[in-house]
C-alpha cells in the first residue's frame, strides 16, 4: 500500500527562489528519508530525519517532520537550475526481517534559469 | 558513479526472450534491492536480499527470478515478460536491511530501462 504522498505533484519556480515539497504518510514510522532523481537515472539520498527529530539541515536543504500530522516537508533554498529533478520521500518502519521502506509518488521540480 | 553499477542500461526484448539484469556494488553493503519504476506510479519494491538471503518478495510474478550469489552481486532473470513489464528497473544497496536508522539509506544504480515488445 502506498505510504508517502508528495505534494505538489509538480512545481515550477525561477532560479533563486525557494522550493517547498510536502510528504504525507499514513502509519507510524521510525525515520523518513528524502531522495532526488534526475530524469531517467537512479535515486540519490539527500537526508534522513529520525522520528524523534523535528528539523534537520544539510547545505541548502531543510527538512521538517511533524509526527502528529504524519507529514514532512523539504525546503530547497536559493534554487538553481541544477536542482531540476524529481524528489521522493521514503518512510521507514522497523520490524521483521526487512525494515519497511516505502516511497511516495514524487514531486517534479523544474527550476527555470 | 555511485558505487552501484547496473548493466545493461537499456534492454529491448520480445515476450518469449530470456534475459538478465545485473547489479554490482562496491560499497561493502550487506543488503541489495530490486525496484521497479513505471511512469506515474510510486517506486515498487520487488525483492530484498540481506546477507545473500531473500527477505522480501513483494508478490512479484514468477517471470521475474532474482539471484544473489554474494552480497556484492544481484541478478534479475527475465523470461516470458509482458509489455506492461516495460519500466526502469533500479538496483540499490544499503548497509543492512533491518535494524537501526542508517540501515536503509539506499544507494541506487543508474537503472536498466527495459522495453518489452
Amino acid at each position: 500500500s502506498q505510504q508517502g504522498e508528495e505534494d505538489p505533484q509538480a512545481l515550477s519556480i525561477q532560479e533563486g527562489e525557494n522550493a517547498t515539497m510536502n510528504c504525507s504518510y499514513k502509519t507510524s514510522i521510525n525515520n523518513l528519508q528524502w531522495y532526488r532523481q534526475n530524469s531517467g537515472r537512479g535515486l540519490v539520498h539527500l537526508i534522513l530525519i529520525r522520528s524523534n527529530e523535528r528539523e534537520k539541515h544539510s547545505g541548502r536543504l531543510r527538512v521538517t517532520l511533524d509526527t502528529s500530522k504524519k507529514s514532512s516537508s523539504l525546503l530547497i533554498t536559493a534554487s538553481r537550475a541544477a536542482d531540476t529533478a524529481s524528489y521522493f520521500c521514503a518512510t521507514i518502519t522497523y520490524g521483521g526481517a526487512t525494515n519497511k521502506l516505502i516511497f511516495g509518488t514524487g514531486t517534479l521540480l523544474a527550476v527555470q534559469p | 558513479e555511485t558505487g552501484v553499477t547496473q548493466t545493461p542500461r537499456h534492454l529491448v526484448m520480445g515476450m518469449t526472450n530470456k534475459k538478465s539484469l545485473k547489479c554490482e556494488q562496491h560499497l561493502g553493503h550487506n543488503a541489495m534491492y530490486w525496484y521497479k519504476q513505471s511512469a506515474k506510479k510510486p517506486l515498487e519494491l520487488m525483492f530484498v536480499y540481506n546477507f545473500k538471503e531473500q527477505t522480501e518478495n513483494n508478490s512479484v510474478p514468477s517471470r521475474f527470478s532474482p539471484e544473489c550469489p554474494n552480497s556484492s552481486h544481484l541478478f534479475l532473470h527475465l523470461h516470458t515478460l509482458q509489455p506492461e513489464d516495460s519500466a526502469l528497473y533500479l538496483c540499490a544497496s544499503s548497509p543492512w536491511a533491518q535494524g537501526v536508522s542508517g540501515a536503509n539509506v539506499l544507494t541506487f544504480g543508474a537503472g536498466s530501462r527495459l522495453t518489452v515488445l
Side-chain angles (χ1 to χ4, degrees):
Chain A
S1 61
Q2 185 173 321
Q3 170 77 310
E5 291 193 20
E6 285 89 341
D7 167 58
Q9 290 188 342
L11 179 61
S12 181
I13 60 174
Q14 295 295 125
E15 209 165 23
E17 294 179 340
N18 295 342
T20 300
M21 289 157 269
N22 302 296
C23 170
S24 59
Y25 56 91
K26 297 183 176 69
T27 62
S28 296
I29 63 171
N30 293 97
N31 63 62
L32 184 145
Q33 302 177 29
W34 284 91
Y35 288 79
R36 159 200 170 121
Q37 183 181 33
N38 288 86
S39 180
R41 307 287 293 186
L43 283 72
V44 175
H45 178 257
L46 296 175
I47 197 164
L48 179 153
I49 186 164
R50 295 179 177 82
S51 59
N52 60 356
E53 296 176 313
R54 291 297 165 257
E55 188 171 314
K56 203 159 182 181
H57 297 255
S58 177
R60 293 184 296 113
L61 305 180
R62 173 177 168 252
V63 170
T64 62
L65 180 63
D66 188 334
T67 52
S68 66
K69 294 182 179 177
K70 292 187 168 57
S71 68
S72 173
S73 68
L74 171 67
L75 168 68
I76 304 174
T77 60
S79 63
R80 306 166 182 168
D83 294 327
T84 295
S86 291
Y87 292 82
F88 297 87
C89 68
T91 57
I92 318 295
T93 306
Y94 298 161
T98 305
N99 291 341
K100 291 297 180 187
L101 174 64
I102 302 177
F103 284 84
T105 51
T107 291
L108 178 59
L109 173 66
V111 181
Q112 310 298 333
Chain B
E1 178 59 55
T2 64
V4 179
T5 303
Q6 290 188 241
T7 55
R9 291 293 316 280
H10 300 272
L11 178 62
V12 179
M13 58 187 289
M15 291 194 288
T16 58
N17 291 159
K18 287 185 179 182
K19 297 285 185 184
S20 295
L21 306 181
K22 179 183 175 183
C23 178
E24 184 174 0
Q25 58 97 1
H26 303 281
L27 301 169
H29 288 168
N30 297 296
M32 297 188 79
Y33 308 72
W34 279 117
Y35 280 89
K36 175 183 178 183
Q37 187 175 36
S38 306
K40 310 288 185 189
K41 286 187 177 181
L43 214 59
E44 297 174 54
L45 177 65
M46 299 175 73
F47 302 103
V48 181
Y49 280 82
N50 198 32
F51 292 94
K52 302 190 303 177
E53 299 299 318
Q54 188 181 112
T55 55
E56 187 92 18
N57 177 338
N58 200 22
S59 303
V60 180
S62 59
R63 58 186 184 270
F64 294 91
S65 175
E67 179 189 0
C68 188
N70 54 60
S71 293
S72 299
H73 295 85
L74 185 64
F75 296 88
L76 189 62
H77 304 298
L78 315 168
H79 62 98
T80 325
L81 294 192
Q82 306 297 312
E84 60 264 29
D85 297 323
S86 298
L88 182 67
Y89 288 85
L90 292 164
C91 173
S93 69
S94 73
W96 303 277
Q98 63 178 147
V100 299
S101 66
N104 299 112
V105 173
L106 299 180
T107 301
F108 282 85
S112 294
R113 173 70 62 184
L114 173 66
T115 302
V116 182
L117 302 176

